[in-house]
Amino acid sequence: MNRIMRTWLWVLFVFLSFSMGRAQGDRKICVIPKPQNVVMGGGEFVWNARTEWHTNLKGKEKILLDRYLQMLPYRLAKGKVKADANIVRLTLESLPNTTNPEAYLLQVTPKEIEVKANTGAGLFYGLQTLFQLGGGINSAELNIPCVTISDEPRFVHRGYMLDVSRHFFPKEFILKMLDVLAYYKINVFHFHLVDTGGWRIEISRYPKLTEMTAYRPAADLDEWRRRKNVFCTKEVEGAYGGYYTKDDIREIVAYAAARHITVIPEIDMPGHSREVLWAYPEYACKGKNASNSNELCIGQEETFTFCKNVLKEVMELFPSAYIHIGGDEANRNIWKECDRCKKRMAEEHIDGVPGLQNYFTNSIERFLAAHGKTLIGWDEILDGDVSPRAVVMSWREEVDGGGEALRRGHRVIQSPTSHCYLDYFQDNPYFEPQGLLGYTPLKQTYGFEPLPEGDFDKSLVLGVQGNLWTEHVLDTDRAEYMTFPRMLAVAEVGWTNPALKSYPDFRERVLKALDYLRAREIHPFNLSTEIGPRPEAEKPVCSLAKGKKVTYLKPYNREFAASGETTLTDGWLGNWNSNGARWQGFGGDMDVVIDLEQPTELHAVKASFIQILTGGQYIPEKLEISISDDGKNYRSLYEHTYETDNKRLYEIYLFGWVGKSKARYIRFHATRAISWGNILSDEIIVK
């Protein structure tokens, strides 16, 4: 056998060994997120009372590691290794094939476990993988399979956002969540501190923010809105809320840092600022609608001074390189009515109120940059020539926020409502706690791909984030239920290469992970009892209207465009969610004409409508169906007024006509029950 042949046989042997080991590893280990490379070995490491922890870390990093281990409880050994000890080594050294600061190499042999990494963060993540191999390592003696894992994350940002403005969560809960997030290698905690529902952070220069708006007279947001969104002081009987002191914030930030989690604060501006204007009305616009405004007045310099002073104190508390300023959903119409805002636009040669917000955003961006910080904003900050330094958090699929930001050279964090909003229903809404708008099951979150198609610098996509908005999340149990296990999907999307992902495999690992979460007194959604998608949406509909042209006498709402003009006759019903590709919305009446192309015998004309009160989606009050032979002269086929139930949170209704007739054209006209909101339908079925 010549030398070249021996070399190739050796390469083949190594490849087959790796492949077999990899496959065996995938069967035997349960780690989330899934590591990039796994090779199983033979034998086991016996974890017992003689196990010693050793590290070459020094200084502060060593102290932090020791404190963390003592909480588990373990501790670093002092002195030399005992002769009969089995060892866990945590070794800081340069890995040969990667410079990724979060990469690690984990090697388990019968005598020793060693984690190697380029940085302390890498060692920490290798440690989390080791703990998962041991099922959390909460037993006196465990057998850990021999394995070699080389691993690193796909993206630098793997985040979780918690909205504490609409509902306040105690500091102890935040710390508990940080522990669990770190276990699954989440490295960013987005702290949504202020947003209409209550001001949650102590600001020394403006004490009335917490004195006057950290509490409200009703916990339930709907009840609070019925009470005109008034705030109250802590002393009022029944006061609900709270805030984090500066010491609380420092403790949270330090606790997160010890787990290699960066805390990014969000101070929402210039919209979502009702708390500010309640405490300090001088920063509001002047005008007839100013009393109901959530928007800061951009026309006065005092507003900028206020914002910058608040941000100065925020920056002192949060060492993060990023500060999130929101920038979303501002009702810009109020600025049209404000003389000071109009004067600002004239003086600065600003064309329209979107430009006025852009002026505000760029001013705050320059201020943050001067203090060494980078601005993050929701994708509305793209409504103008925003500084390329700004990072865009993309949430709106309908406006292609992520794609537009990337085309303009911005760094982007992907957080679309379709996959990453954790306040949406995760199973059949008829059996789920109250949620918002739509249906986002674990499988859908897991299927998200953060890199959109297109020619752009892939490094601009920083990563992915799951967001828990808390309009309908009143307590910690509900927060845990809505967060888990979907955040585990976000963790794997952000860490694992797509080629290694498999939903059946992931689901199996999640089912095992649920036991760990419950042991940590986390209350997750029970995946084992999942009902799944709406059955009617899983197969095409038999309809004479399928593929036929639809003429819109009144336009559909572009925010609920679904698949455009083919939606109502494409042969598919919608799922449980209204935010998908099959439910089409109408901000006014739904009024369409279907051309069946030839006179057709009719026995039924029906359509489904979805009602989700939390999303402002209502069933129609009245339905009129008329038919025509020539498309000009119509005769009534069906007319009915429905009794609407504005207390029923969620429902899918099927309305329409059954009988016998003949026509070519069908006009389907549904009238909205109230003056606002949307009518949503998925398909007009003709039999």
Side-chain angles (χ1 to χ4, degrees):
M1 186 181 296
N2 63 39
R3 184 176 177 183
I4 294 176
M5 181 61 71
R6 286 197 304 270
T7 300
W8 275 108
L9 285 173
W10 172 248
V11 170
L12 180 63
F13 170 78
V14 171
F15 173 76
L16 290 173
S17 299
F18 174 80
S19 300
M20 293 173 66
R22 178 92 162 262
Q24 184 184 9
D26 288 348
R27 288 196 305 270
K28 286 190 174 182
I29 71 168
C30 181
V31 176
I32 299 174
K34 189 175 186 178
Q36 310 294 7
N37 294 288
V38 178
V39 179
M40 297 301 298
E44 297 174 327
F45 178 94
V46 180
W47 188 294
N48 55 34
R50 297 192 307 276
T51 302
E52 292 185 359
W53 292 79
H54 292 266
T55 184
N56 67 345
L57 287 173
K58 294 181 172 59
K60 184 179 178 181
E61 283 194 320
K62 184 177 181 179
I63 293 171
L64 288 174
L65 174 63
D66 198 27
R67 288 176 181 172
Y68 178 74
L69 290 174
Q70 289 180 44
M71 294 176 59
L72 298 176
Y74 309 103
R75 66 179 309 139
L76 293 172
K78 297 179 181 179
K80 297 181 178 180
V81 178
K82 296 177 183 177
D84 63 341
N86 52 1
I87 306 168
V88 180
R89 290 187 196 274
L90 305 174
T91 305
L92 193 64
E93 66 175 56
S94 296
L95 297 180
N97 300 314
T98 180
T99 59
N100 191 309
E102 296 179 306
Y104 67 89
L105 175 65
L106 170 63
Q107 295 172 302
V108 182
T109 70
K111 287 293 295 179
E112 182 174 289
I113 295 174
E114 186 167 27
V115 181
K116 298 179 182 179
N118 297 316
T119 68
L123 287 181
F124 184 83
Y125 293 133
L127 196 59
Q128 304 314 306
T129 296
L130 173 61
F131 289 164
Q132 290 193 43
L133 288 175
I137 308 192
N138 54 6
S139 177
E141 185 164 314
L142 294 167
N143 295 336
I144 299 175
C146 291
V147 65
T148 298
I149 297 175
S150 55
D151 198 13
E152 62 183 63
R154 185 185 182 200
F155 294 106
V156 299
H157 183 111
R158 305 174 304 280
Y160 172 70
M161 189 214 79
L162 180 64
D163 168 17
V164 300
S165 175
R166 292 175 176 89
H167 286 286
F168 177 75
F169 298 93
K171 176 187 67 178
E172 291 73 21
F173 173 73
I174 304 294
L175 302 180
K176 175 184 175 183
M177 290 291 282
L178 289 171
D179 276 330
V180 179
L181 294 170
Y183 190 70
Y184 296 106
K185 303 182 179 72
I186 296 297
N187 66 349
V188 173
F189 176 56
H190 177 171
F191 212 178
H192 191 84
L193 287 158
V194 299
D195 186 345
T196 302
W199 188 277
R200 306 300 182 201
I201 178 173
E202 177 187 2
I203 301 295
S204 301
R205 187 155 183 166
Y206 302 99
K208 287 193 290 185
L209 289 170
T210 48
E211 291 171 1
M212 297 180 63
T213 68
Y215 297 87
R216 57 181 192 249
D220 182 83
L221 280 176
D222 292 332
E223 174 62 25
W224 180 56
R225 288 164 182 151
R226 285 191 287 271
R227 299 189 188 187
K228 309 297 185 184
N229 298 336
V230 299
F231 293 97
C232 65
T233 61
K234 184 180 181 180
E235 293 73 28
V236 172
E237 184 178 357
Y240 168 83
Y243 67 93
Y244 306 99
T245 67
K246 290 190 174 184
D247 285 342
D248 290 336
I249 295 292
R250 293 186 187 99
E251 183 179 350
I252 291 169
V253 168
Y255 196 88
R259 290 147 184 78
H260 296 275
I261 294 175
T262 299
V263 183
I264 297 178
E266 180 178 355
I267 308 297
D268 215 336
M269 57 180 74
H272 289 283
S273 299
R274 182 176 294 274
E275 316 103 303
V276 175
L277 304 182
W278 182 272
Y280 296 95
E282 59 265 35
Y283 302 125
C285 289
K286 306 299 182 184
K288 61 181 180 179
N289 296 316
S291 60
N292 296 316
S293 175
N294 291 311
E295 285 67 43
L296 299 172
C297 179
I298 303 178
Q300 58 175 330
E301 203 58 37
E302 291 82 359
T303 299
F304 290 80
T305 302
F306 167 82
C307 291
K308 292 173 182 179
N309 285 338
V310 168
L311 290 172
K312 283 179 184 177
E313 293 194 33
V314 169
M315 289 187 287
E316 290 171 0
L317 293 169
F318 294 91
S320 163
Y322 299 97
I323 302 291
H324 204 305
I325 69 153
D328 60 310
E329 298 182 324
N331 180 6
R332 298 163 179 168
N333 289 327
I334 191 68
W335 300 327
K336 295 179 181 178
E337 304 172 0
C338 176
D339 290 339
R340 292 179 299 192
C341 289
K342 289 188 288 187
K343 182 181 179 184
R344 173 84 71 180
M345 286 190 286
E347 292 175 347
E348 300 292 340
H349 307 288
I350 297 170
D351 184 18
V353 288
L356 186 62
Q357 181 168 349
N358 183 239
Y359 173 86
F360 174 87
T361 302
N362 279 328
S363 175
I364 298 300
E365 190 280 327
R366 290 191 297 271
F367 170 77
L368 291 174
H371 289 78
K373 303 290 186 179
T374 297
L375 180 147
I376 302 178
W378 300 104
D379 55 46
E380 285 94 332
I381 67 172
L382 291 171
D383 295 347
D385 188 22
V386 67
S387 168
R389 294 185 297 251
V391 175
V392 175
M393 188 165 280
S394 177
W395 71 281
R396 299 179 299 169
E397 300 94 333
E398 67 270 16
V399 297
D400 187 30
E404 175 62 21
L406 292 166
R407 287 188 288 274
R408 288 164 60 172
H410 289 275
R411 288 169 293 169
V412 170
I413 299 164
Q414 300 283 30
S415 187
T417 56
S418 58
H419 296 79
C420 297
Y421 271 41
L422 307 178
D423 51 321
Y424 288 9
F425 297 110
Q426 54 194 321
D427 203 4
N428 185 330
Y430 287 103
F431 301 96
E432 280 289 283
Q434 191 170 2
L436 187 67
L437 289 178
Y439 166 62
T440 306
L442 180 68
K443 186 177 183 179
Q444 185 165 318
T445 300
Y446 188 74
F448 178 52
E449 171 47 52
L451 287 182
E453 296 181 357
D455 185 17
F456 59 89
D457 181 358
K458 300 298 190 289
S459 68
L460 292 175
V461 178
L462 298 181
V464 62
Q465 182 168 290
N467 298 329
L468 182 61
W469 303 99
T470 60
E471 284 94 333
H472 307 289
V473 181
L474 276 69
D475 54 43
T476 57
D477 285 0
R478 180 71 63 81
E480 293 164 1
Y481 182 91
M482 302 302 284
T483 299
F484 299 109
R486 286 183 290 188
M487 264 310 296
L488 307 191
V490 174
E492 190 146 314
V493 168
W495 185 282
T496 306
N497 288 331
L500 301 176
K501 291 172 59 187
S502 162
Y503 182 70
D505 168 68
F506 174 72
R507 190 178 189 277
E508 185 178 345
R509 285 180 283 129
V510 168
L511 288 171
K512 295 178 181 177
L514 293 180
D515 292 333
Y516 167 78
L517 291 171
R518 294 185 187 106
R520 295 296 305 267
E521 298 183 346
I522 297 289
H523 305 82
F525 165 71
N526 188 0
L527 187 63
S528 64
T529 62
E530 183 181 28
I531 297 170
R534 183 185 177 201
E536 297 93 331
E538 295 293 281
K539 55 185 179 181
V541 174
C542 181
S543 171
L544 297 174
K546 185 177 180 179
K548 301 299 191 289
K549 181 183 177 181
V550 178
T551 300
Y552 288 81
L553 303 180
K554 293 189 177 181
Y556 53 81
N557 186 340
R558 294 291 174 180
E559 291 186 7
F560 293 96
S563 52
E565 295 185 0
T566 63
T567 301
L568 300 176
T569 57
D570 64 0
W572 290 97
L573 296 178
N575 216 318
W576 301 122
N577 58 320
S578 62
N579 63 322
R582 297 180 184 173
W583 288 101
Q584 189 167 72
F586 299 82
D589 292 357
M590 171 186 176
D591 197 0
V592 300
V593 173
I594 300 171
D595 182 1
L596 299 177
E597 299 176 352
Q598 60 184 8
T600 304
E601 190 171 303
L602 307 174
H603 294 278
V605 180
K606 298 182 178 182
S608 299
F609 297 89
I610 189 170
Q611 175 163 294
I612 307 178
L613 296 187
T614 54
Q617 298 152 21
Y618 299 86
I619 63 170
E621 181 182 46
K622 186 178 181 181
L623 179 61
E624 300 170 273
I625 303 174
S626 54
I627 55 177
S628 172
D629 299 320
D630 59 5
K632 297 178 181 178
N633 301 296
Y634 284 85
R635 57 190 181 275
S636 179
L637 184 67
Y638 176 82
E639 184 174 329
H640 190 80
T641 299
Y642 299 96
E643 184 177 347
T644 58
D645 184 355
N646 291 338
K647 294 183 179 180
R648 194 164 184 88
L649 169 66
Y650 183 95
E651 190 66 73
I652 294 177
Y653 299 86
L654 182 64
F655 294 145
W657 167 84
V658 176
K660 186 176 181 179
S661 193
K662 190 174 183 178
R664 173 177 171 175
Y665 298 92
I666 301 171
R667 182 177 178 182
F668 199 96
H669 183 195
T671 305
R672 211 167 47 173
I674 57 174
S675 61
W676 66 281
N678 287 277
I679 294 173
L680 272 75
S681 183
D682 55 353
E683 189 79 6
I684 298 176
I685 304 168
V686 180
K687 301 278 188 182

